[in-house]
Amino acid sequence: MTKKLGFGTMRLPVLVKDGQEIIDIEQYCKMADMFLERGFTYFDTAWMYHGHTSEDAFKEAVFKRYPRDAYTIATKMPTMMLYGPKAQEEIFEKQLEKTGVDFFDYYLIHNLNVDNYAECMKYGTIEYVEEQMAKGRIKHLGFSFHDNAEFLEMLLQKYPEMEFVQLQLNYLDWDNEAIQSRKVYEMARKYNKEIVVMEPVKGGTLANLPPKAEKILRDIHPDWSPAQWAIRFAAGLDGVRLVLSGMTSLAQMDDNTSFMQDFKPLTAEETKAVFKVRDIIINNGTIPCTGCRYCIEANTCPMGIPIPDYFALYNAEQIDVINAATGWTPQEQYYGNLVGHGKGRASGCIGCRGCESVCPQHIKVSEWMEKVSARFDSVT
């Protein structure tokens, strides 16, 4: 049986060199070694991850160090970055060069939603990747998806040749009407498509729970990490081929590969527990941002506001009850650091909503920015 954990490379470990964040290749190599030694093989990367360096890092950590049959690699055609009719060919050829491989085991059309699909139609993207598959440069073809269930059904009906679909599935988003995790999952199963799960831990939200929520889980399994609960929930769904986890340290790799070695899904009672946790988080006022950074990569804010960074700080405030009780939290300092490095304040948001048009989570960014500003701008 194929092991159901994939190594997502959106959030690799980083170092700061000359004032810039770069991928920590040494630690990435150690993480890849542990991943492969424990029988896992699936690496997931993409064109824009880590400022367009994630694919290059894969070449250094995996391609140059392991035989081609030791791993499988998935990457994606960035639909949000197709700047002209020749773009997809240029990007695809560059991806082969950056990763080092001469074929991709899995290739996805990235982030299909109603807007990006229009770009695909404009440039013949689906026809292009199918041509590459016919040439043997792609072994399995699918797409990642961030839209509603009705639109997913249209795509699955129109393109039955797509072998799999990558969906955002986690217990926090399960009944969220903006994300529609449950509905798109059920639609994929209706058409008997294999599912690759992304964001099972919701960008780290489900790994860093409010104390009250974490206690519910610790009372049942004291030795399980919160991330383990989230990944088990997603991996236990029928039709899920594997779950991607964006791991940033060797410790996280050790934890995830340990419990996924001999995977067992959640029981009915354990599933009830995670939905109790969900209700606590929802009532805690957090912003449903996963830190994908599409708002930064695909649509630069004209005011220089680091949107996901500010949202992460705001969300941390909602669960940092110990520090909040003292009247000061470290999030205030981090916010001040970002402003000090030349980033725009949350109060500078002009409400242009360009970021909202590319947000997979359909977050009303400009409205949340007012709350972020109210929390931080008065004290930093």
Side-chain angles (χ1 to χ4, degrees):
M1 178 179 175
T2 303
K3 292 185 182 293
K4 299 181 74 171
L5 179 69
F7 189 170
T9 63
M10 178 189 284
R11 303 180 181 92
L12 291 169
V14 296
L15 299 169
V16 177
K17 183 177 182 181
D18 298 326
Q20 300 293 322
E21 282 192 349
I22 61 171
I23 295 171
D24 183 346
I25 295 295
E26 182 179 354
Q27 187 169 182
Y28 185 11
C29 287
K30 292 178 181 178
M31 293 169 69
D33 291 345
M34 181 180 289
F35 186 73
L36 292 166
E37 287 166 4
R38 295 184 176 182
F40 301 90
T41 63
Y42 191 103
F43 291 81
D44 173 87
T45 184
W47 178 252
M48 74 282 292
Y49 291 174
H50 279 279
H52 300 266
T53 64
S54 178
E55 290 168 324
D56 305 88
F58 171 85
K59 186 175 186 177
E60 298 300 317
V62 183
F63 172 77
K64 289 184 177 180
R65 302 173 61 243
Y66 286 92
R68 184 63 180 89
D69 60 357
Y71 58 86
T72 55
I73 178 174
T75 194
K76 311 170 185 75
M77 178 63 69
T79 56
M80 65 290 286
M81 296 181 178
L82 299 180
Y83 47 82
K86 293 292 186 180
Q88 54 209 11
E89 179 180 356
E90 293 171 0
I91 289 171
F92 186 83
E93 296 298 334
K94 189 67 175 177
Q95 286 177 312
L96 290 170
E97 177 186 335
K98 283 160 69 72
T99 57
V101 301
D102 54 10
F103 70 90
F104 295 113
D105 301 279
Y106 300 88
Y107 198 80
L108 298 89
I109 301 169
H110 200 171
N111 190 17
L112 271 189
N113 59 23
V114 64
D115 292 330
N116 292 338
Y117 178 63
E119 294 298 296
C120 289
M121 295 297 289
K122 180 179 179 181
Y123 297 122
T125 304
I126 295 174
E127 292 78 6
Y128 175 79
V129 295
E130 288 181 342
E131 288 173 9
Q132 301 312 306
M133 187 171 182
K135 293 177 181 178
R137 305 172 91 192
I138 296 171
K139 299 302 181 183
H140 302 282
L141 185 60
F143 60 91
S144 63
F145 183 80
H146 290 287
D147 212 312
N148 62 37
E150 182 180 3
F151 190 67
L152 177 59
E153 182 165 38
M154 184 280 289
L155 293 173
L156 294 177
Q157 289 177 342
K158 189 170 183 178
Y159 303 104
E161 67 273 20
M162 294 290 168
E163 300 173 64
F164 67 101
V165 60
Q166 186 165 303
L167 301 174
Q168 177 172 314
L169 302 180
N170 58 68
Y171 66 80
L172 183 59
D173 293 327
W174 193 241
D175 291 309
N176 183 312
E177 272 304 307
I179 309 300
Q180 296 195 358
S181 277
R182 177 177 57 80
K183 289 183 178 179
V184 295
Y185 163 74
E186 291 172 350
M187 188 62 70
R189 295 308 299 144
K190 176 181 176 180
Y191 288 87
N192 201 33
K193 297 297 180 181
E194 281 197 332
I195 297 167
V196 173
V197 174
M198 57 183 160
E199 300 293 353
V201 191
K202 187 70 172 177
T205 297
L206 301 181
N208 298 284
L209 301 175
K212 180 181 177 182
E214 184 168 352
K215 185 178 186 302
I216 292 173
L217 305 183
R218 294 290 185 191
D219 285 348
I220 299 172
H221 291 292
D223 57 334
W224 284 19
S225 67
Q228 179 172 168
W229 282 87
I231 293 172
R232 283 184 184 275
F233 170 83
L237 296 169
D238 180 55
V240 167
R241 183 180 180 278
L242 60 83
V243 176
L244 300 175
S245 178
M247 296 167 275
T248 61
S249 68
L250 195 61
Q252 290 179 2
M253 176 63 73
D254 185 30
D255 180 39
N256 288 353
T257 53
S258 294
F259 69 77
M260 289 298 285
Q261 284 273 39
D262 183 23
F263 168 72
K264 293 180 178 61
L266 298 182
T267 66
E269 287 303 310
E270 290 165 346
T271 300
K272 287 181 181 179
V274 298
F275 284 126
K276 288 180 181 178
V277 168
R278 174 200 60 186
D279 293 341
I280 291 173
I281 297 172
I282 289 173
N283 292 328
N284 215 32
T286 55
I287 306 169
C289 174
T290 68
C292 73
R293 309 192 78 80
Y294 291 175
C295 56
I296 302 298
E297 298 288 353
N299 194 88
T300 302
C301 173
M303 306 308 292
I305 299 171
I307 298 165
D309 299 322
Y310 287 174
F311 283 177
L313 293 177
Y314 184 88
N315 283 347
E317 286 285 280
Q318 309 312 304
I319 62 175
D320 195 359
V321 294
I322 296 175
N323 282 313
T326 70
W328 178 90
T329 69
Q331 286 74 241
E332 295 175 9
Q333 180 66 60
Y334 285 115
Y335 181 88
N337 290 344
L338 288 165
V339 173
H341 284 294
K343 302 299 183 182
R345 288 183 174 273
S347 58
C349 176
I350 60 175
C352 68
R353 300 185 184 277
C355 52
E356 296 177 11
S357 69
V358 297
C359 178
Q361 312 308 320
H362 311 288
I363 299 170
K364 294 181 179 179
V365 176
S366 56
E367 294 180 12
W368 276 107
M369 273 299 153
E370 293 180 4
K371 297 181 179 181
V372 173
S373 177
R375 173 61 188 87
F376 293 116
D377 282 322
S378 64
V379 295
T380 57

